[in-house]
Amino acid sequence: MITTTVSDFRKDIKTYLDKVVKNFETLIINRGKDSGIVVMSLEEYNALMATNHELSSRKNELRLDSAIEKLKSGNSFSKDLINN
């Protein structure tokens, strides 16, 4: 995570945005006491929204937790794909 002020961000906006995109960094721009802005790449945002969607229902959350536990305990299986 990178933190900066509005003034510093304005001075070097391209460098900050390049770091966010290339290094998957999150940029926090402070705007005073308890105020700020978060900048993240579109790819990072889309991943966050997909995760949020997957966990939006309790049923999905439980299903994913169960799958993770099976994988961790070695209780999973694999299948070969059929090539035509």
Side-chain angles (χ1 to χ4, degrees):
M1 179 174 18
I2 306 169
T3 305
T4 190
T5 63
V6 173
S7 178
D8 286 343
F9 179 68
R10 254 191 241 126
K11 290 177 191 173
D12 207 5
I13 189 171
K14 183 181 179 335
T15 300
Y16 281 111
L17 294 179
D18 285 346
K19 286 180 184 178
V20 166
V21 172
K22 290 178 184 173
N23 302 326
F24 298 100
E25 293 280 358
T26 301
L27 174 64
I28 307 293
I29 304 171
N30 290 321
R31 299 192 69 204
K33 186 177 181 181
D34 299 326
S35 178
I37 297 170
V38 176
V39 179
M40 66 177 65
S41 70
L42 180 59
E43 186 176 352
E44 189 82 15
Y45 174 79
N46 287 337
L48 184 63
M49 290 297 105
T51 300
N52 187 47
H53 174 72
E54 288 297 322
L55 297 177
S56 63
S57 109
R58 183 70 179 142
K59 185 176 180 180
N60 269 355
E61 186 178 351
L62 292 172
R63 186 178 54 80
L64 290 169
D65 287 344
S66 172
I68 290 169
E69 285 304 315
K70 284 180 183 176
L71 187 61
K72 285 181 179 177
S73 69
N75 216 4
S76 61
F77 63 92
S78 65
K79 287 190 170 188
D80 293 329
L81 294 176
I82 299 172
N83 293 322
N84 288 331

